[in-house]
Amino acid sequence: MTTRRRFLAGLAPLGLPAALTAPFAATTARAAEDDRYPSRPIKLVVPQPPGGPSDIVARFLAESMRASLGQPLVIDNRPGAAGLIGTAAAAAAPADGYTVLVTSRSNHILAPLVQQGATVQPVRELQPVGLALRAVGILATPARAPWRTLPELVAAAKAQLGKLFYGSAGIGATNHIALEQFKTLAGIELVHVPYKGSGPLITGLMAGEVQLALLDFSSAQPALKGGSIRPLAQTGLRRLTSMPEVPTLTECGYPRFDASFWIGLAVPQGTPAAVVARLSKALDTALADTQMKARAQVNGWELAGGGPAPFEALIRQDTADFPPLVKRLDLKA
């Protein structure tokens, strides 16, 4: 019997009021539940539709983390409002570790800055579990487009001012902010078309509804392999080994800006430290798995991990960097 339980047992003969012993009993029950965590399936909330980058990563992590947690991780896709619908649902869930958000820069940092009247503030209402990865982005165009390089597209945009379209995963999404930056760098004007997630965006790009999009490499792969979209440039510092023919933005003549996609796990604020530590350890174990490393190489991912602290530092940095940028670009939903 633990010391706390012995203490509670000793109170009973004293006839102390239940009001005095109840808080101790509740604390003991909570501690016991934390020790048993997880004792039932865990919900992984993905604030994107199936097929988006967060969804792809979530399904890989669910498979890998199940082994160390001993419970299934069930995917719950809740797209809309640039990820804020799913984010709000996760933030409002009980802080018991059974609801985990697969979060990204798009919904965690950018969407609350851009969406007017946003009711969820992820930085305050969620606490980090760990950073899963950073992903390389691909600037892509429909395969039937007449331009074959990024400079050719830029020339066409300058010749047809305001007549070409670019798509994003939603207003305030990472690829929305990044392409607004690119427009400034390139000195071009493109009309923004927001979609409800990366899956619909890729479909729209394949259909020629938009002429340019920034996609994460993993979710773009099927369309790239199928030949329905054409890569023009990649956002990494070096060319991907799986796409050595595609130049970097720097090689195309543009200074590198932070258009990377990061994805991590977060839980409602107030989740017990022991539960957060358990989830963080399971994430690190999953990222160290040989199969996950092989997937990272194929998908253009830089695996991270390392616990909540590095992820918290990244969020803090983004919180300092992006509000001035959004204000300067005057981006509003």
Side-chain angles (χ1 to χ4, degrees):
M1 183 181 293
T2 65
T3 302
R4 180 182 285 143
R5 288 173 182 166
R6 290 195 192 98
F7 175 68
L8 289 173
L11 292 179
L14 299 178
L16 293 179
L20 293 179
T21 60
F24 293 101
T27 301
T28 300
R30 181 61 180 268
E33 174 62 25
D34 293 350
D35 290 342
R36 291 194 301 267
Y37 176 85
S39 58
R40 52 188 169 89
I42 298 167
K43 182 189 296 182
L44 271 185
V45 177
V46 179
Q48 288 185 339
S54 293
D55 180 72
I56 293 171
V57 173
R59 292 178 192 279
F60 286 153
L61 289 179
E63 178 186 331
S64 299
M65 292 175 68
R66 177 173 184 164
S68 56
L69 290 172
Q71 291 289 342
L73 286 81
V74 182
I75 306 296
D76 181 12
N77 294 95
R78 297 203 183 189
L84 291 185
I85 290 177
T87 303
D96 55 10
Y98 290 98
T99 300
V100 179
L101 178 69
V102 182
T103 194
S104 68
R105 174 178 281 150
S106 177
N107 64 282
H108 208 102
I109 305 295
L110 298 175
L113 297 174
V114 177
Q115 296 283 335
Q116 300 301 294
T119 57
V120 61
Q121 295 299 322
V123 174
R124 291 203 305 265
E125 297 178 45
L126 295 159
Q127 62 187 91
V129 169
L131 178 65
L133 55 89
R134 289 177 178 269
V136 169
I138 299 291
L139 277 171
T141 193
R144 61 174 177 266
W147 41 81
R148 305 193 68 82
T149 67
L150 189 59
E152 288 178 2
L153 180 142
V154 170
K158 288 180 177 178
Q160 306 174 55
L161 196 63
K163 293 185 179 180
L164 299 185
F165 299 83
Y166 83 88
S168 77
I171 295 175
T174 300
N175 49 12
H176 175 207
I177 306 296
L179 282 177
E180 285 295 326
Q181 289 177 280
F182 178 74
K183 282 168 51 179
T184 301
L185 288 171
I188 58 176
E189 184 55 51
L190 301 170
V191 180
H192 178 217
V193 179
Y195 288 83
K196 292 184 178 180
S198 294
L201 167 60
I202 293 172
T203 300
L205 184 66
M206 291 166 58
E209 295 172 356
V210 293
Q211 285 71 55
L212 183 66
L214 174 64
L215 310 170
D216 84 286
F217 180 64
S218 60
S219 60
Q221 275 204 82
L224 289 168
K225 290 180 178 177
S228 53
I229 64 175
R230 179 186 302 132
L232 299 177
Q234 53 186 285
T235 64
L237 289 172
R238 293 171 296 276
R239 296 191 183 197
L240 288 170
T241 55
S242 54
M243 297 183 69
E245 74 286 0
V246 181
T248 66
L249 279 171
T250 300
E251 291 174 318
C252 290
Y254 299 96
R256 182 179 183 272
F257 57 92
D258 192 0
S260 64
F261 298 83
W262 59 250
I263 294 174
L265 300 183
V267 289
Q269 196 65 247
T271 299
V275 172
V276 174
R278 183 87 170 87
L279 286 168
S280 181
K281 182 179 179 181
L283 173 62
D284 284 354
T285 301
L287 296 177
D289 183 75
T290 302
Q291 191 173 11
M292 193 67 180
K293 289 180 178 179
R295 287 168 172 164
Q297 187 171 6
V298 170
N299 288 289
W301 296 338
E302 179 186 337
L303 300 181
F311 190 22
E312 187 174 2
L314 175 60
I315 290 171
R316 191 162 51 245
Q317 186 63 54
D318 276 4
T319 304
D321 290 346
F322 281 98
L325 175 62
V326 169
K327 184 177 181 180
R328 177 170 63 82
L329 294 174
D330 193 27
L331 297 178
K332 296 184 178 66

